[in-house]
Amino acid sequence: MSRLQPPLAATRTASSDAATAHRPVQVAKGSLTDETARSPEFVQSLERGLAVIRAFDAEHPQLTLSDVARTTGLTRAAARRFLLTLVELGYVHTDGRLFSLRPRILELGYAYLSSLSLPEVAQPHMEALVAQVHESCSVSVLDGGEVVYVARVPTKRIMTVGISVGTRFPAYATSMGRVLLAAQPADWLDDYLAEAELRPLTRRTVTDPAKLRTVLKKIAAQGYAIVDQELEEGLRSLAAPIRGDNGSVIAAVNVSAHASRGSSETIRKELLPPLLATAARIEEDLRAGPSR
């Protein structure tokens, strides 16, 4: 298994440093891990059950038994047992041929989100920023090679893909992702750049590892990232780090704007000062803790 397993950076308090392993950068949706890398305590049946759940996504909300078996690498018999168990537990629905997730599956993600202080602390500051700049604002954390949205205050929709809490994007092509990547230890970043599949999401996407490394060094030095239409044409995004008590980056906050608002430099001048101020206020409240 790859060593690229940074913890989800948002935790109960900003000072928490608990590291929990998560899926590596290049493990495909629903696929299983390398048996040789497993610890003696590894529970294979749990991994397989989670792989079945992860086989479903926005592009594949309904799957046949064969689809699930193919996506996860399980045999049809094993996939069938896991699916029927999930049906009996109320997490999956079936009409006899097609399977789909039921709303109860949200309980699994909510258990994580409800344990966080970050979204609750950040929300009012994000709302104030949106009211000031009239652009959408989000907070995300790093999970392997992806950013995961943990809080969002939208304005008008400017992307073709809807964004909500739980949405994932590849870190290399997003402003928040680059802020988070730039904060990773050197050896982790070396492994990431060696293993990550840097696909061209638009004609502007940086796909050369050496060039991305240079970009990340600049971000680490200047303290913010701006991405110009690399995730989606017509979308510009500006992000800043959110730091914990020990100074480590635990999350990122961004604002996104349509390219018609102005050039990258115009957006930087208009949005960076209020964005940095918002990040600072979130950090201050996180440091104050639950007594605030």
Side-chain angles (χ1 to χ4, degrees):
M1 180 185 294
S2 167
R3 291 190 293 132
L4 304 182
Q5 296 179 316
L8 286 174
T11 50
R12 290 181 185 270
T13 64
S15 60
S16 176
D17 292 320
T20 304
H22 292 276
R23 63 190 177 117
V25 170
Q26 293 301 316
V27 171
K29 172 176 71 72
S31 62
L32 304 177
T33 59
D34 180 3
E35 290 188 20
T36 61
R38 295 170 182 163
S39 69
E41 294 80 19
F42 191 91
V43 181
Q44 187 180 54
S45 59
L46 177 58
E47 180 199 27
R48 289 176 172 178
L50 293 174
V52 169
I53 292 172
R54 293 173 58 214
F56 299 89
D57 59 20
E59 295 179 356
H60 307 91
Q62 294 183 312
L63 296 171
T64 65
L65 172 59
S66 296
D67 292 333
V68 173
R70 181 172 56 254
T71 301
T72 60
L74 296 170
T75 64
R76 281 174 55 88
R80 181 176 181 274
R81 289 196 300 272
F82 283 110
L83 284 167
L84 293 182
T85 299
L86 290 168
V87 168
E88 190 168 333
L89 292 173
Y91 292 114
V92 169
H93 168 77
T94 183
D95 62 5
R97 190 181 78 87
L98 292 173
F99 294 86
S100 60
L101 298 180
R102 297 186 64 184
R104 189 174 186 182
I105 204 74
L106 295 172
E107 293 177 355
L108 303 179
Y110 184 74
Y112 169 72
L113 288 174
S114 63
S115 71
L116 302 179
S117 63
L118 176 60
E120 180 182 3
V121 168
Q123 194 74 19
H125 299 295
M126 296 166 65
E127 291 172 355
L129 177 61
V130 169
Q132 178 183 357
V133 303
H134 308 294
E135 301 291 357
S136 298
C137 178
S138 305
V139 168
S140 72
V141 296
L142 189 66
D143 184 16
E146 298 176 319
V147 291
V148 183
Y149 284 63
V150 297
R152 180 163 171 81
V153 179
T155 51
K156 56 185 179 299
R157 181 165 168 174
I158 58 176
M159 289 191 69
T160 58
V161 178
I163 300 175
S164 60
V165 171
T167 294
R168 291 173 173 265
F169 286 121
Y172 69 89
T174 66
S175 59
M176 289 189 289
R178 288 183 180 177
V179 163
L180 294 166
L181 290 174
Q184 296 305 306
D187 57 347
W188 187 96
L189 188 58
D190 288 343
D191 288 345
Y192 171 80
L193 292 173
E195 298 178 16
E197 181 184 357
L198 307 180
R199 296 182 292 109
L201 304 179
T202 74
R203 59 188 176 87
R204 301 170 185 262
T205 309
V206 174
T207 58
D208 178 70
K211 184 175 181 180
L212 181 58
R213 185 189 294 275
T214 299
V215 170
L216 295 177
K217 286 182 179 180
K218 180 179 179 181
I219 290 168
Q222 68 189 15
Y224 68 89
I226 186 165
V227 169
D228 184 4
Q229 305 180 77
E230 295 189 48
L231 179 66
E232 182 169 303
E233 294 287 351
L235 178 71
R236 292 192 173 109
S237 182
L238 187 67
I242 297 173
R243 300 180 183 276
D245 282 348
N246 62 2
S248 64
V249 175
I250 61 169
V253 58
N254 86 337
V255 285
S256 300
H258 195 273
S260 62
R261 174 163 179 152
S263 66
S264 293
E265 181 60 19
T266 297
I267 289 176
R268 186 190 67 80
K269 288 181 178 179
E270 292 180 356
L271 301 182
L272 182 58
L275 177 66
L276 292 176
T278 297
R281 285 191 286 269
I282 293 172
E283 291 173 352
E284 181 181 358
D285 279 4
L286 287 171
R287 285 194 296 271
S291 63
R292 188 175 178 84

